[in-house]
């Protein structure tokens, strides 16, 4: 890769100024790309075999079990802070329940945005292609997920935790004007960190069976979404116009900052009887929390680094989000 100059690849073909070296670099890079239709066909096969109906798959009638967590304690925002040490077990578990509801609410927000991005992505593409049919399949998955998360929130009498008005409006603009690489970068950001947490949640025997069931279904189906988005983003970062690649670097850094602020709705602290300002300050100062978020984002940031998203100004924004070490 010709690091540093922002990606010459878009102008390689047919541009007299392009050097042979750059053309060779592009040819090698494109050689790494998997065929779009082949990827989509494999994902369609996998969807046909491993898709779940949460309404019939999960036992929604079973009551919650006393003493079980709703999210692994180490992944609860306040874990290991001075405030956490003062809380009793019951209040800690209650906080885990509200954080799970807040993350489910955040998940629904992401999924609604993602569905619109996917609809926009396929708008002018041949509906007969596997690539479009898979996008429609992914939208079906996300419809089931959002309904499943909503049912989970309501099941425990926890409230709906919307993102702030400002973030809602930012999302409204973004999902309307975003470029294709920008859309897939945001998709991965929304999917991969939560996915990392869910992979730790579903096998955890300390956690409520219903939460384990929800996260297991989500992990299985999300693996395909991550694959689809990664393949497409890798392709886009080689073929999109240079301005669009640079725009992706900066906007993705800005999403990372919004993401890390919006990740846990601070109302959860008030609702479990804690002082919201003190709790937010302790989460911000928590070394454990920083490590959790950076570890959760590592697979994603490694990938984005590899395909050239984390450069220049974009990289600085990612750093300031706290997701990149
Ligand atoms: Fe989902
Ligand atoms: Fe997804």
């Amino acid at each position: 890769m010709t690091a540093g100059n922002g990606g010459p690849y878009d102008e390689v073909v047919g541009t007299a100024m392009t050097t042979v070296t750059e053309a060779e670099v592009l040819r090698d890079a494109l050689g790494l790309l998997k065929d779009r239709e082949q990827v989509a066909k494999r994902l369609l096969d996998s969807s046909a075999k491993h898709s779940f109906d949460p309404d019939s798959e999960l036992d929604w009638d079973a009551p919650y079990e006393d003493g079980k967590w709703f999210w692994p304690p180490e992944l609860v925002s306040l874990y290991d802070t001075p405030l956490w040490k003062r809380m009793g077990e019951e209040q800690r578990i209650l906080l885990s329940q509200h954080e799970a509801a807040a993350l489910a609410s955040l998940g629904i927000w992401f999924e609604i945005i993602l569905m619109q991005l996917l609809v926009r992505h396929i708008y002018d593409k041949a509906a007969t292609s596997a690539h479009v049919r898979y996008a429609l399949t992914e939208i079906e998955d996300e419809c089931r997920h959002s309904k499943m998360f909503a049912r989970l929130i309501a099941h425990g009498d926890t409230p709906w935790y919307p993102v702030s008005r400002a973030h809602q409006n930012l999302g409204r603009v973004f999902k309307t004007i975003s470029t294709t690489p920008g859309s897939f970068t945001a998709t991965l950001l929304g999917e991969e960190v939560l996915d990392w947490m869910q992979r730790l949640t579903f096998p955890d025997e300390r956690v409520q069976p219903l939460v384990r069931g929800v996260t297991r279904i989500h992990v299985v189906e999300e693996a395909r979404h991550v694959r689809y988005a990664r393949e497409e983003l890798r392709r886009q970062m080689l073929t999109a116009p240079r301005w669009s690649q640079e725009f992706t670097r900066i906007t993705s850094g800005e999403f990372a900052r919004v993401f890390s602020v919006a990740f846990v709705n601070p109302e959860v602290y008030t609702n479990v009887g804690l002082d919201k300002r003190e709790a937010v300050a302790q989460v911000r100062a928590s070394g454990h929390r920083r490590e959790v978020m950076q570890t959760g984002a590592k697979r994603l940031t490694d990938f984005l680094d590899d395909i050239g998203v984390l450069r220049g100004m974009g990289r600085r924004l990612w750093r300031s989000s706290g997701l990149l070490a």
Side-chain angles (χ1 to χ4, degrees), residues 111 114 138 142 145 191 218 222 225:
E111 288 179 341
L114 170 65
E138 181 166 326
E142 300 297 19
H145 296 168
E191 288 181 339
H218 203 243
E222 281 305 303
H225 304 180

Side-chain angles (χ1 to χ4, degrees), residues 30-254:
L30 287 175
L32 291 174
L33 288 179
K34 306 211 168 51
D35 180 74
R36 203 190 216 180
E37 285 296 281
Q38 284 305 322
V39 170
K41 276 182 196 148
R42 271 205 296 276
L43 293 173
L44 280 166
D45 284 348
S46 159
S47 305
K49 280 188 214 129
H50 307 289
S51 289
F52 304 94
D53 172 12
D55 287 331
S56 56
E57 191 79 24
L58 302 171
D59 184 359
W60 294 94
D61 294 327
Y64 282 133
E65 294 176 22
D66 276 348
K68 288 217 159 164
W69 295 82
F70 292 79
W71 206 239
E74 300 79 13
L75 301 181
V76 174
S77 60
L78 276 172
Y79 181 81
D80 206 32
T81 60
L83 197 51
W84 179 264
K85 285 168 192 156
R86 292 209 303 270
M87 292 161 68
E89 182 85 346
E90 210 172 304
Q91 196 182 22
R92 290 174 178 172
I93 290 179
L94 186 64
L95 179 61
S96 80
Q97 183 173 10
H98 281 260
E99 287 203 10
L103 289 174
S105 303
L106 183 78
I108 294 170
W109 182 60
F110 280 142
E111 288 179 341
I112 303 270
I113 292 175
L114 170 65
M115 286 187 242
Q116 185 168 339
L117 294 175
L118 284 169
V119 166
R120 288 185 48 222
H121 175 60
I122 61 177
Y123 172 69
D124 57 358
K125 294 180 178 58
T128 45
S129 69
H131 186 70
V132 169
R133 281 188 294 128
Y134 180 73
L136 291 169
T137 307
E138 181 166 326
I139 293 167
E140 287 181 85
D141 290 352
E142 300 297 19
C143 284
R144 293 194 307 277
H145 296 168
S146 286
K147 289 190 289 177
M148 170 174 78
F149 289 149
R151 197 168 173 184
L152 180 72
I153 297 165
H155 188 69
D157 281 334
T158 32
W160 161 246
Y161 282 106
V163 297
S164 71
R165 215 354 103 197
H167 288 156
Q168 231 153 37
N169 285 331
L170 210 61
R172 198 189 312 281
V173 173
F174 170 74
K175 68 194 171 65
T176 311
I177 64 162
S178 166
T179 59
T180 308
S183 298
F184 282 103
T185 312
T187 299
L188 287 171
L189 180 61
E191 288 181 339
E192 292 214 32
V193 180
L194 275 170
D195 187 63
W196 175 81
M197 289 193 169
Q198 292 176 344
R199 280 169 194 268
L200 294 172
T201 304
F202 81 79
D204 193 329
E205 290 178 358
R206 299 169 299 173
V207 174
Q208 298 284 354
L210 182 62
V211 176
R212 295 180 63 192
V214 164
T215 47
R216 183 176 47 81
I217 287 178
H218 203 243
V219 164
V220 171
E221 300 189 341
E222 281 305 303
R224 300 191 289 262
H225 304 180
V226 168
R227 177 78 199 285
Y228 185 75
R230 279 188 172 212
E231 294 292 344
E232 190 56 30
L233 184 58
R234 188 186 285 281
R235 185 176 300 112
Q236 291 287 334
M237 287 307 286
L238 289 166
T239 56
R242 192 179 300 191
W243 69 264
S244 171
Q245 296 179 18
E246 189 51 32
F247 187 66
T248 302
R249 292 187 185 102
I250 294 167
T251 48
S252 82
E254 192 51 35

